[in-house]
Amino acid sequence: NMLNPSAYALGANRSCIRDLFEYGCQRAAVVGRENIYDYSLGNPSIPSPKEVDETVRQILDDTDSLLIHGYTSAVGDYATRKAISDDLNARYGVSTDPEEFFIGCGAAPELVSVFRALAVPGAEILAVAPYFPEYKPFAQEAGLEFKVVPADIPSFQINLTAMERMITPSTQAIILNSPNNPSGVVYTRETYQKLAAILNKKAAEYGHPIYIVSDEPYRELAYGVEVPFLPEIYRDTVICYSYSKSLSLPGERIGYVYVPQKATDGKALYSAVAGAARAGGHVCAPSLWQKVIARCAHLRPDLKSYDRNRKALYEGLTRMGYEMAKPDGAFYLFIKAPGGDANAFSDAAKKKDLLVVPGDGFGCPGYFRICYCVSLEMIQKSLPVFEELIKEFAGRTA
Ligand code: PLP
């Protein structure tokens, strides 16, 4: 056939997460939504801060309609980039500049642009398991060789020994995500410092930079732990940020890429990111939402309900004997499958209308993910089902 085979395969074979979610919707129509325990999909369950909606109304009232809906510059409105830069500078005591920001349409297309900007022939990118499954098609379609550093079990920090062994002269970048989907783990400053030492050593040895691409849609979703500002620890860091989770705006498609000018070839890399976006058909990020972010970049989510869910699940499941990494961020738990076979566990759970995602797609078999963007009521009703399952699987081995 005359189609691009990898594009066809990506479109024709749906993700396991989507399949589970669709299944949940079908079952809900049969047995009622209240009888489905759907932990499959990471769609925020806290509303945007009320200031966000108020700002939308204000902009509609006080701004010329042609400006609200018109094209902006491809890199984004200056006022938006300035507001983001000011906010980061105030929070982290850094000195970012508006010229270092590219306003994009959320982390996914921003990652694609950065990957394409880095894709020289033969270049490799290393991801750290467990990782967001879309990294693989994004990297491969960009032309990067995609390699996976095995998980650091049970802490789910970074397996630095394995990483150091896997870095080669072709390693162009490392893709990191903290707070992490699916583990909920936040990488510590100490982890980053050790990682930076390894990358600096390897970069010097090979005579070229090794960039970190830091995917940070969950930056604001941390429960009492520090999320270090990585460019301050490792110079050659590019950040892909998104307001999808931090302001609960996943359908609005707004975020930014931060390319520090002090990074190796920083200015050229910024141009390459802009050029890669252009080649991918980027025109500008949604104009109305750029104007909202220009006024709302300082807002933070109210994490109370996520935190309450997190505690209810972590405490409830740990008491039953489930094992998982300490979930300090994002809105996921990554749990060791009783019996060792996460697919068997997920299938058995599905029969009880409990939907959990096996870790295979995240590069970490034997674990399953639950997303706690759900109601506390659903959590409470689902806990006895988790208890039945761990009893059912007790003594089994994979
Ligand atoms: N990266 C990670 C780790 C995610 O979990 C997600 C969405 O769930 C994305 C990127 C994409 O987010 P966005 O809506 O900003 O494209």
Side-chain angles (χ1 to χ4, degrees), residues 45-385:
S45 62
I46 57 175
S48 306
K50 66 176 187 334
E51 291 91 333
V52 168
D53 290 348
E54 283 166 12
T55 304
V56 173
R57 286 191 201 96
Q58 272 165 19
I59 291 170
L60 291 175
D61 284 343
D62 71 22
T63 309
D64 178 352
S65 162
L66 287 173
L67 271 178
I68 297 173
H69 303 300
Y71 292 128
T72 72
S73 103
V75 299
D77 275 339
Y78 181 80
T80 310
R81 291 180 285 127
K82 174 85 166 64
I84 294 165
S85 173
D86 287 349
D87 178 57
L88 290 172
N89 294 350
R91 283 171 84 185
Y92 299 109
V94 293
S95 50
T96 68
D97 186 277
E99 301 304 327
E100 298 173 313
F101 293 84
F102 178 92
I103 309 300
C105 301
E110 291 157 13
L111 288 164
V112 169
S113 296
V114 174
F115 290 176
R116 291 176 76 164
L118 294 172
V120 296
E124 299 170 351
I125 187 163
L126 301 185
V128 176
Y131 62 88
F132 182 55
E134 297 295 277
Y135 294 159
K136 189 176 173 184
F138 291 172
Q140 290 177 339
E141 290 294 295
L144 290 166
E145 186 77 35
F146 184 77
K147 295 194 167 169
V148 179
V149 177
D152 189 24
I153 292 174
S155 76
F156 289 97
Q157 292 286 318
I158 302 172
N159 186 337
L160 294 167
T161 317
M163 178 180 282
E164 183 163 9
R165 244 184 273 123
M166 287 177 71
I167 293 173
T168 74
S170 302
T171 306
Q172 174 80 318
I174 316 277
I175 167 80
L176 298 182
N177 165 229
S178 169
N180 185 264
N181 173 9
S183 74
V185 162
V186 180
Y187 296 152
T188 62
R189 180 170 286 273
E190 192 192 349
T191 296
Y192 280 152
Q193 283 164 342
K194 288 182 182 158
L195 170 66
I198 292 170
L199 297 185
N200 284 326
K201 188 178 82 181
K202 290 284 182 182
E205 185 182 329
Y206 299 143
H208 66 74
I210 300 173
Y211 294 99
I212 292 181
V213 182
S214 184
D215 177 25
E216 303 190 354
Y218 303 98
R219 160 166 289 282
E220 290 10 301
L221 279 66
Y223 309 95
V225 297
E226 181 198 18
V227 182
F229 188 69
L230 189 49
E232 284 305 289
I233 302 173
Y234 186 68
R235 196 177 65 136
D236 290 334
T237 298
V238 175
I239 294 175
C240 293
Y241 186 88
S242 165
Y243 294 94
S244 293
K245 319 287 160 143
S246 62
L247 297 182
S248 295
L249 296 171
E252 305 297 359
R253 314 310 306 150
I254 185 84
Y256 62 80
V257 185
Y258 170 60
V259 187
Q261 285 181 1
K262 66 172 190 212
T264 310
D265 300 326
K267 281 194 173 172
L269 179 54
Y270 182 95
S271 296
V273 170
R278 176 181 170 193
H282 172 88
V283 176
C284 64
S287 174
L288 170 63
W289 289 97
Q290 291 193 48
K291 287 163 184 59
V292 173
I293 296 304
R295 301 184 193 189
C296 292
H298 62 284
L299 295 179
R300 308 283 175 259
D302 174 0
L303 298 176
K304 272 197 292 297
S305 70
Y306 288 157
D307 197 20
R308 190 195 57 194
N309 289 357
R310 178 180 78 103
K311 286 185 181 136
L313 279 162
Y314 184 64
E315 283 161 18
L317 295 175
T318 307
R319 204 175 306 126
M320 291 172 203
Y322 285 95
E323 293 167 44
M324 68 207 82
K326 198 158 162 282
D328 286 325
F331 40 49
Y332 305 100
L333 295 178
F334 202 51
I335 304 168
K336 193 171 177 184
D341 181 343
N343 288 292
F345 183 88
S346 171
D347 287 343
K350 197 171 163 185
K351 294 206 178 84
K352 299 178 188 288
D353 291 320
L354 171 66
L355 307 182
V356 304
V357 182
D360 302 54
F362 303 99
C364 199
Y367 284 74
F368 64 89
R369 184 190 80 169
I370 66 179
C371 171
Y372 55 82
C373 295
V374 297
S375 70
L376 186 60
E377 195 191 348
M378 186 192 109
I379 293 174
Q380 280 156 350
K381 281 179 74 179
S382 74
L383 284 173
V385 183

